[in-house]
Amino acid sequence: DDAMIDQWIARFLDIYSVAMAVHTRLYDGMADVLGRARAAGIAWGIVTNKPGWLARPMLAQMDFFRDCAVLVTGDCLPVKKPDPAPVRFACERLEVSPRDVVMIGDDLRDVQSGRAAGTRTVAAAWGYLDGGDPRAWGADVVVDVPSGLVAALGL
């Protein structure tokens, strides 16, 4: 319940901050997708609700992060996903129109924020999936495995 979460969240985050990248890996096939995006000159970024003090160190420990063109964390703005503002902010930082962006996510909030921001959306049917059935989220495309992004993105 919420009282238990409030009681233990600080301790959890302390433990998490020390070991968050120990077992963190890209999903099979994602390195190829990111490599193809790099080869095609496609800029990509991350919009997360995770606070920056957790997201930045975790991503810095992961080799693929060097190609990330923009990182918008949950504490960059006064609102988080599903509000469209973080996605719009990422688009502004990349100097691209939302209509030229594809928002890929493994949570209903990702699809909601992308759609509200005016991007195309891809629901990833793997990963966190806290928002239920990806096929019910209203995304433009649902991809079952990371390698499916190659076709979905035209890479």
Side-chain angles (χ1 to χ4, degrees):
D1 63 18
D2 289 341
M4 290 297 290
I5 290 172
D6 290 343
Q7 176 183 350
W8 291 102
I9 192 73
R11 177 74 176 127
F12 168 78
L13 291 175
D14 284 343
I15 294 167
Y16 180 70
S17 69
V18 173
M20 64 186 148
V22 171
H23 299 290
T24 301
R25 304 285 180 273
L26 288 176
Y27 286 100
D28 289 340
M30 277 307 299
D32 179 56
V33 172
L34 294 173
R36 287 174 184 249
R38 181 183 329 109
I42 296 172
W44 60 271
I46 297 171
V47 178
T48 179
N49 283 350
K50 187 183 299 281
W53 69 271
L54 289 171
R56 282 186 293 278
M58 181 182 74
L59 295 171
Q61 295 175 46
M62 302 181 75
D63 186 44
F64 79 93
F65 184 60
R66 70 186 184 292
D67 293 327
C68 182
V70 65
L71 170 63
V72 178
T73 61
D75 50 4
C76 285
L77 300 171
V79 294
K80 298 178 185 180
K81 298 178 296 180
D83 192 285
V87 175
R88 288 185 185 132
F89 183 68
C91 293
E92 290 168 11
R93 300 277 308 271
L94 291 171
E95 298 179 347
V96 295
S97 169
R99 72 176 174 272
D100 297 324
V101 170
V102 178
M103 176 68 170
I104 303 166
D106 64 354
D107 188 275
L108 173 61
R109 292 171 290 201
D110 299 321
V111 173
Q112 290 172 329
S113 63
R115 289 186 73 77
T119 73
R120 290 171 285 151
T121 57
V122 174
W126 72 89
Y128 184 60
L129 299 179
D130 189 44
D133 179 6
R135 285 164 180 71
W137 298 345
D140 297 307
V141 176
V142 177
V143 177
D144 291 316
V145 294
S147 60
L149 290 171
V150 171
L153 299 174
L155 299 173

